[in-house]
Amino acid sequence: MKTTLLLVGKTTSKPLGQLIDDYVGRLKHYLSFDIEVVPELKNARSLDFEQQKQKEGIDILNRIKPSDFVVLLDERGTQFRSVDFAHYIEKQQHRSCGRVVYIIGGPYGFSDAVYSRADDKISLSSMTFSHQMIRLFFVEQLYRAHTIINNQPYHHE
C-alpha cells in the first residue's frame, strides 16, 4: 500500500522542513510514503476565502484517483490516541485500495467538493496549529504508529 501526504503550499520554515524530512526518511523503512505539494494559488490576495477554498479544492481533487482512500486532516475529524491511530493504520493496510492519501488543506480549510470526496477525517488535536506545524506532527505520528505496529521501542506507554 502506498501512502501520500498531500499538502497545499510548500513548507516555508527551513527548521520544520528539516524535521519533516527526518521523519519521512524514517517512514521509508516501513512503507512507501511520499509528500506531494499542491502549489499555492497565484494572486490569492485577489480572491476571498471561499474562492480560495474552491480553487484549492479543484487542484486537490485533480491529484486524487478514484481508487484512493482519502483522509482529511480536519479539526472536525476523529481524534485518536497514538496506539489507536496505529490500529487505524493497520486496518487501512488490510484494505484493497492502492493508495491512502492524507490531505492537509490550505489556511481556510477544504471546499465542499473535497469534503464530499473524503472517505474519512481525522484530527490531531482540539487545539489549532498552523498548517506548517501540522505537517510535522502528522509525519511524526505516522512514524510513531508504524513503530507501534512493528513493536519497536519508539513509543512508551
Side-chain angles (χ1 to χ4, degrees), residues 23 65 69 91 98 126 131 135 141-142 149 153:
Y23 282 105
K65 299 172 187 154
F69 186 81
K91 286 180 187 175
S126 297
H131 284 76
R135 299 164 184 207
Q141 283 299 301
L142 190 59
I149 292 166

Side-chain angles (χ1 to χ4, degrees), residues 28-81:
K28 295 207 180 224
H29 297 288
Y30 299 105
L31 74 157
S32 175
F33 179 80
D34 68 331
I35 294 178
E36 190 175 329
V37 178
V38 174
E40 290 181 359
L41 297 173
K42 292 179 171 50
N43 302 319
R45 293 183 192 269
S46 66
L47 304 171
D48 65 31
F49 301 155
E50 196 58 40
Q51 290 171 320
Q52 286 184 44
K53 285 194 315 188
Q54 296 305 317
K55 287 184 178 276
E56 286 173 354
I58 292 167
D59 291 343
I60 289 169
L61 293 171
N62 284 335
R63 293 170 184 266
I64 296 171
K65 299 172 187 154
S67 61
D68 290 342
F69 186 81
V70 176
V71 182
L72 304 181
L73 274 70
D74 185 82
E75 63 187 8
R76 294 171 283 178
T78 303
Q79 289 187 19
F80 296 104
R81 292 179 32 249

